[in-house]
Amino acid sequence: MEQNKKKEMMRAIKFTLFSISAGVIEIVVYSLLDALTDWPYWPCYLIALICSVIWNFTLNRQFTFQSANNVPIAMMKVALFYAVFTPVSTVAGNYLAEGLGWPGILVTLINMVFNFVLEFLYDRFFVFGKSLDTNKRAQMKKN
């Protein structure tokens, strides 16, 4: 039981660190687009989010969840998450940034916190839940 808690704590720490790196990518891409274009909030956010998601999925599949599951199926499951999260966060974010005048960077940070919590739970239990620790890296640790 203690070993399982330790493994899940390490999984949460890895997810957090990779999410921070994905967050840096999202903030940099958003900031560059915001500074270099005259686009409204939503396309800057959307492009930054897509870059962040691809980075985060790749690292977490390989290192955090150590999954050997079918990549296209896992990506489709993640796409389903973002099919809901993206429109909600984009519309809500655009309303806060454009409608209420909140700073776009603040709105993006708020969206990132919601994304972090919801995606960890979704990935852990739905996307990779049945294929945790099945890739070559995980199998080498067991031997």
Side-chain angles (χ1 to χ4, degrees), residues 107-124:
V107 175
T108 299
L109 289 169
I110 292 168
N111 277 331
M112 289 170 66
V113 169
F114 280 111
N115 187 8
F116 169 74
V117 172
L118 295 173
E119 189 176 2
F120 176 78
L121 295 172
Y122 185 83
D123 285 356
R124 168 62 181 86

Side-chain angles (χ1 to χ4, degrees), residues 25-39 44 48:
I25 289 169
E26 187 171 338
I27 291 297
V28 168
V29 171
Y30 172 81
S31 297
L32 286 171
L33 291 172
D34 188 49
L36 300 175
T37 70
D38 61 350
W39 296 348
C44 299

Side-chain angles (χ1 to χ4, degrees), residues 67-116:
S67 174
N69 68 352
N70 185 303
V71 174
I73 291 173
M75 289 181 104
M76 183 59 71
K77 289 178 178 181
V78 171
L80 290 173
F81 173 84
Y82 282 99
V84 174
F85 181 82
T86 302
V88 170
S89 63
T90 302
V91 169
N94 197 63
Y95 172 74
L96 294 173
E98 302 294 327
L100 298 182
W102 288 25
I105 197 75
L106 173 63
V107 175
T108 299
L109 289 169
I110 292 168
N111 277 331
M112 289 170 66
V113 169
F114 280 111
N115 187 8
F116 169 74

